[in-house]
Amino acid sequence: MRLGVLDVGSNTVHLLVVDAHRGAAPLPAYSYKTELRLAEHLDKEGKIAQSGADELVSFINQAAELAEDKGCESVLAFATSALREAPNGEKVLERVRKETEIDLQVLTGDDEARLTFLAVRRWFGWSSGRLAVFDIGGGSLEIAAGSDEEPTVAVSVPLGAGRLTREGLTQDPPDKDEVRALRKRIRMEMAAVAGTVLRAGKPQRSVATSKTFRSLARICGAAPSDDGPYVPRSLNRDDLAEWMPKLTKMSAAERAELPGVSVGRSTQLVAGAMVADAVMDLFDLPSLEVCPWALREGVILSRLDQLQPR
């Protein structure tokens, strides 16, 4: 069957069309996305502004038409922290349903962590044993760990790269005092949940997903995306530690010239790198393997699992 998956994130709104059936890996057939940066369309009260809602509705209408043109049987549409946390999020959702006929479901942070974990488990398989999975989004960091397809622990922490950049880094290049204060905040908030994750047991395989981790791995020497998804990639703690002082001294424009870093993501790279550094430090991980599957694939796999076998 052909499915459309519409992912409304804090940074990007992405329609992915896949050919999928139960028991097989979903195969990407078409991709259409824009860096809407919904979390930046907020007023002083934290509500999504009219401009942001207008752009969201416009893109979803385009995505719905494209999904129909590509022959999708259905569209699985979900949203993450930007809509989840906005005081007027439900009103925006109702407008989307009314004007686009797309039922946009808001995932909880724990749902994000759980579904991302499912995708990573299916990618690496049972031989990985106990998994620990880390995903840096625009608004939050998701952490999940366990030995089955359902994680033993799944938590969401408000340490997304976009959020931290907006709230903690006001200058370009970042001010050293702001960097120090943000580093302290990240480590305090992460330490508050680290014990819960580690108490369930030391992971046998530690994995990172998301664009932020992929960009950092590419900067530190991992293979480019053009080499395909099956090339092993990892982010090493020592390599990232060597890059950290360089990244904090660069402007966003300079970071955008690094391999694997887009202009839109370059502003958030320092905050994302600080989160990645804290993850590997506080969880005592010398490296993280990078998985090409993440939340979108988890949503697809979960949907396929609900289908009756032929």
Side-chain angles (χ1 to χ4, degrees):
M1 65 187 302
R2 176 159 283 196
L3 294 173
V5 184
L6 183 61
D7 176 358
V8 179
S10 299
N11 289 316
T12 305
V13 187
H14 188 179
L15 171 70
L16 180 66
V17 175
V18 297
D19 291 317
H21 64 270
R22 185 171 177 171
L27 297 176
Y30 179 77
S31 176
Y32 176 61
K33 61 184 175 180
T34 184
E35 288 191 347
L36 179 58
R37 298 193 177 281
L38 195 59
E40 295 182 5
H41 289 273
L42 302 177
D43 61 21
K44 295 180 180 179
E45 298 177 345
K47 296 180 180 179
I48 296 173
Q50 181 77 25
S51 59
D54 289 345
E55 289 186 39
L56 178 61
V57 168
S58 176
F59 182 89
I60 291 178
N61 270 320
Q62 295 173 47
E65 291 179 6
L66 283 169
E68 183 177 330
D69 290 343
K70 299 299 179 183
C72 293
E73 295 183 25
S74 61
V75 175
L76 307 176
F78 64 91
T80 55
S81 61
L83 274 168
R84 183 169 66 233
E85 297 173 3
N88 65 334
E90 189 54 48
K91 289 185 177 180
V92 175
L93 289 170
E94 184 58 35
R95 181 183 169 189
V96 168
R97 295 186 189 105
K98 182 178 179 180
E99 298 185 24
T100 70
E101 298 184 354
I102 293 291
D103 187 15
L104 190 59
Q105 298 293 315
V106 177
L107 300 178
T108 67
D110 290 355
D111 284 339
E112 289 186 56
R114 178 178 57 82
L115 289 166
T116 301
F117 184 88
L118 172 63
V120 174
R121 169 63 74 191
R122 294 281 176 89
W123 180 268
F124 285 113
W126 293 110
S127 63
S128 298
R130 179 173 173 78
L131 276 173
V133 177
F134 304 89
D135 186 306
I136 303 173
S140 57
L141 164 72
E142 273 67 54
I143 306 172
S147 300
D148 302 320
E149 289 200 332
E150 192 74 21
T152 305
V153 57
V155 296
S156 180
V157 194
L159 294 177
R163 180 199 300 271
L164 295 174
T165 301
R166 291 191 305 275
E167 297 176 356
L169 301 177
T170 63
Q171 299 184 39
D172 184 30
D175 176 77
K176 63 179 182 179
D177 291 332
E178 287 187 336
V179 169
R180 187 181 300 113
L182 187 59
R183 183 181 186 276
K184 180 179 179 180
R185 169 186 167 181
I186 290 169
R187 286 168 179 261
M188 287 181 63
E189 293 195 31
M190 198 176 299
V193 301
T196 302
V197 179
L198 293 171
R199 195 172 294 118
K202 186 176 179 61
Q204 293 165 286
R205 193 167 207 159
S206 301
V207 180
T209 72
S210 77
K211 178 63 175 176
T212 296
F213 273 120
R214 290 197 301 271
S215 295
L216 291 170
R218 179 72 184 99
I219 291 170
C220 292
S225 58
D226 289 346
D227 286 2
Y230 299 108
V231 175
R233 296 175 175 86
S234 63
L235 174 63
N236 294 320
R237 181 174 166 185
D238 290 344
D239 293 337
L240 181 60
E242 184 177 336
W243 267 98
M244 285 296 297
K246 302 176 187 177
L247 293 173
T248 58
K249 294 176 183 178
M250 291 180 175
S251 66
E254 290 171 330
R255 292 192 294 271
E257 295 179 359
L258 296 173
V261 181
S262 67
V263 173
R265 298 278 181 170
S266 63
T267 57
Q268 304 178 10
L269 193 64
V270 170
M274 293 170 69
V275 173
D277 181 58
V279 162
M280 288 191 280
D281 187 5
L282 294 182
F283 288 90
D284 193 23
L285 303 172
S287 67
L288 288 164
E289 294 181 72
V290 179
C291 179
W293 279 7
L295 178 58
R296 277 188 295 275
E297 288 76 16
V299 169
I300 296 166
L301 293 167
S302 178
R303 174 71 178 91
L304 293 175
D305 287 349
Q306 297 169 18
L307 299 177
Q308 292 294 326
R310 293 181 179 179

